[in-house]
Every structure is written in structure tokens, then in C-alpha cells.
Amino acid sequence: MEFASDNASGAAPEIIDAVSRINAGYAPSYGTDPAMERVRGLIRETFEAPQAAVHLVATGTTANSLSLACLCPPWGAVYAHAEAHVEMDECGAPEFYIGGGKIARIGGRDGKLAPADLRRAIEKTPHGFVHSVQRGAVTLTNTTEAGTVYTAAEIAALTAVAKEYGLPTHLDGARFANAVVATGATPAEMTWKAGVDILSFGGTKNGCLGVEAVVIFDPAKAWEFELRRKRGGHLFSKHRYLSAQMEAYLTDGLWLKLAQTANVRAAALEQAVLKIPGARLMHPREANILFAYLPRSIHRRAMDAGARYYLWPFDQSLEGPDDSPVSARFVASWCTTEAEIETFARLLAR
């Protein structure tokens, strides 16, 4: 009953097999390996973007931070949801790689930005006033940190606001596969067709060992990204091991199959949780993450029996009245099984 994070899951067998196969013999280094060329072709085909530049890194923090550094000047503001991963969970890495940029936090229900709120935040940033940060870039997260999903139309509405002010848009897609499966839209419809300039395309949370693709839909930024990646210490010498993962991930729709499993298991987890008297959701469950309030006694019972998940926020305690509600986050992954959900459901209902 492991529901703490999709980062805690193992790697899919297809990914392990691909890494094992590519381990034989020798291959050119630093991204010049033949597998990387195949990855470029697969991503361009997947996103219907024949001119897109594609680069691989090992972590989502690297993908987000280097991407934003290419879009925002050191004196610029990056407009983001107040609880976005780039603000809450990356230890200031985006600001560091930008060289001094500032995350401009914007509130929003269920982890999502609204166009009116984005416009208001941009307008509040004095344009051309030397004593203030300048308007820099917009970043969205899909799937959001609240487990909700932006539709293609919602993304387009936000990028339209950004473009009114001449701002580029980055999409943090650590769980992009889960969002695509949830909406039924195509990868192109969820990105460049909706106005996204750079995508951090996640693999690690969805069955890879550790690989993320930065997809730059305007290749004019590609050389700058390469330089920033090298200067930042994130250009792998034995790059073929990144390439092998991403190639397997994109072959025969594996990335979508893995995400589909995670989303289906999260839906079953939601059903189990909501059967508990007093349980209620914090946000709509739209992908593979579930936030819910449960009575404190239920949390004690579940955790004592070995269920692993996070109280959310972290600063809550299991000490207190049995029937008082305590909020928690549950995450399903590509390898969450029906048996795990059934065991958990029986435990909650006992």
C-alpha cells in the first residue's frame, strides 16, 4: 500500500530492458549517440512538431530551471501558481539558473491559474520601472500540484494572456502523460498548439529511471539551452543511458499506457476513500493524485497497518480527536496494483 509518491515506484520493465540493451559496446558521448537521434524523431512525431529541438536531462528540476532560464532574463518575474513545484519544491533552482529572476506567486483554486488572475499579476508588475523586476515569463504545471488538469482550451486561454504582454510560456510536465490521458487531447493540442513555447516532458514519475525531455518548440532557443545545460553541469557524458530510457518510453505508446494505469488506480483509490464516513476531497481528482480529508482515526489505522502516504500539509499530527478531519495526499503510479487498492479499501472499511 505505497501511495506516498510516484517517485517511489520502480522503473517499468521496458525501460530496464532498454538500458540493458544499450549497455553493450560503445556509443558516442554527450548526446551524439544514435539513440538520441531516434528520440528526436519520436518526440517530433509525437508532438507533430518537426522543427522542435529536443534535449534530455536527468531531473525535473533541471528541466524546469534551464527552460525558464532560456525564457526569463535575470531581472524578470516568472508568473506561477503559488503552490507550483518551481516555487515550493525546487530550493530556488529556477531563480538560481535564471541568475536572479523572481517567482511571482499567483493564487488559484485547485492548483490552477485563471486568466483574470494572471492578467492582474502581470499588470501589477511595473513595466519599464527600473526599481522593479520586469515581466519575464509564465509557467504552468500539468498535471497540477493539486492533482487537477488543465484542458487544452484552458492552457490556450492563459497563453493568450501571456502573449498579449509579449511573454513566453513554459509548461512543467512532470506528469504530462497523466494530463494527456485524462483529457484525451493530443500532445500537440496540449502544448504548442495551445501556445506553449517550452515543455518539460516528464519520464521519471511515470516509469523511467531518471530522464526528462526539454522540448523547445521554437528552435531559436535550442543553442542557448545547450550552453546552459553544459555550463550548469547537466550534460551527461554517457548520454545513451538517458536516450535509451526516453526511446523506450515513447515506443508503442508506453508512456500513455503507464499513465493510464496510474490514473485508473487513482480513480479506484478515490472510490475507496470516499466510502469512509466523513471523507471528502480537497480538490477534484483528475489524474493520478488524490487529496482528501479523512478522520484522524482512519489515518492511524491505515498507517499502523503499513499504508504509506503523506499527511498534507506535512505539519499535521495524528494526535488528537479520533473523528477530527486530517488532510492527506495519495499518489498512484504505473505499478500500483488492483490488489493494493483492494487491501487498502478493506482496511479503511474495517
Side-chain angles (χ1 to χ4, degrees):
M1 297 180 291
E2 175 61 66
F3 309 121
S5 174
D6 36 14
N7 284 323
S9 65
E14 295 89 343
I15 303 299
I16 297 295
D17 290 346
V19 172
S20 179
R21 288 194 303 272
I22 211 160
N23 192 50
Y26 297 86
S29 55
Y30 296 109
T32 61
D33 51 286
M36 183 60 204
E37 191 56 38
R38 296 192 294 271
V39 166
R40 290 190 188 95
L42 284 166
I43 287 185
R44 288 167 177 167
E45 178 183 359
T46 298
F47 286 88
E48 306 170 46
Q51 302 304 315
V54 181
H55 304 293
L56 301 184
V57 293
T59 72
T61 297
T62 303
N64 290 337
S65 300
L66 294 180
S67 295
L68 288 171
C70 289
L71 296 180
C72 183
W75 47 84
V78 175
Y79 301 97
H81 192 278
E83 296 179 1
H85 200 274
V86 295
E87 165 62 14
M88 300 295 289
D89 295 284
E90 294 186 340
C91 196
E95 293 96 328
F96 174 79
Y97 279 99
I98 291 169
K102 180 179 180 180
I103 301 292
R105 302 174 63 186
I106 305 171
R109 185 177 178 180
D110 297 324
K112 298 168 74 171
L113 295 179
D117 293 335
L118 176 59
R119 184 187 303 279
R120 192 175 300 113
I122 295 172
E123 287 286 351
K124 283 177 64 178
T125 307
H127 181 60
F129 181 59
V130 74
H131 300 287
S132 169
V133 292
Q134 300 299 295
R135 301 164 181 174
V138 173
T139 183
L140 308 175
T141 309
N142 211 14
T143 301
T144 74
E145 292 297 295
T148 53
V149 171
Y150 287 106
T151 65
E154 288 173 324
I155 296 170
L158 289 163
T159 63
V161 173
K163 291 183 187 304
E164 283 183 38
Y165 297 91
L167 305 182
T169 300
H170 161 259
L171 180 61
D172 176 356
R175 297 183 177 95
F176 181 74
N178 304 92
V180 169
V181 168
T183 62
T186 69
E189 289 168 343
M190 294 285 273
T191 53
W192 67 268
K193 287 186 177 181
V196 171
D197 296 283
I198 298 182
L199 166 69
S200 298
F201 177 51
T204 305
K205 287 180 169 64
N206 193 35
C208 292
L209 285 165
V211 66
E212 317 283 311
V214 175
V215 185
I216 305 173
F217 296 106
D218 176 8
K221 286 288 185 181
W223 178 234
E224 179 181 348
F225 184 90
E226 288 198 59
L227 294 173
R228 288 184 178 277
R229 180 177 60 167
K230 176 62 179 179
R231 186 172 183 267
H234 290 287
L235 176 59
F236 268 47
S237 54
K238 293 188 176 181
H239 189 281
R240 58 174 155 163
Y241 298 102
L242 298 182
S243 304
Q245 293 178 68
M246 187 56 66
E247 183 180 15
Y249 189 56
L250 291 165
T251 298
D252 297 329
L254 177 63
W255 66 291
L256 296 173
K257 296 172 186 174
L258 297 173
Q260 177 69 27
T261 297
N263 286 11
V264 167
R265 298 291 183 264
L269 190 60
E270 177 185 18
Q271 292 177 4
V273 166
L274 290 181
K275 288 180 180 178
I276 303 304
R280 57 189 174 91
L281 297 182
M282 295 173 65
H283 311 287
R285 196 276 321 152
E286 296 178 344
N288 68 314
I289 310 174
L290 172 73
F291 291 85
Y293 292 98
L294 288 171
R296 185 175 273 110
S297 60
I298 298 294
H299 287 302
R300 290 198 196 105
R301 182 197 306 167
M303 291 185 176
D304 287 347
R308 288 176 51 84
Y309 56 90
Y310 290 124
L311 300 183
W312 200 276
F314 294 129
D315 59 358
Q316 298 177 98
S317 171
L318 290 181
E319 296 181 2
D322 285 352
D323 58 353
S324 59
V326 175
S327 53
R329 186 190 78 164
F330 305 85
V331 185
S333 73
W334 70 272
C335 58
T336 301
T337 65
E338 291 181 347
E340 282 182 277
I341 303 295
E342 290 169 359
T343 300
F344 189 62
R346 288 194 299 270
L347 175 64
L348 296 182
R350 196 173 65 202

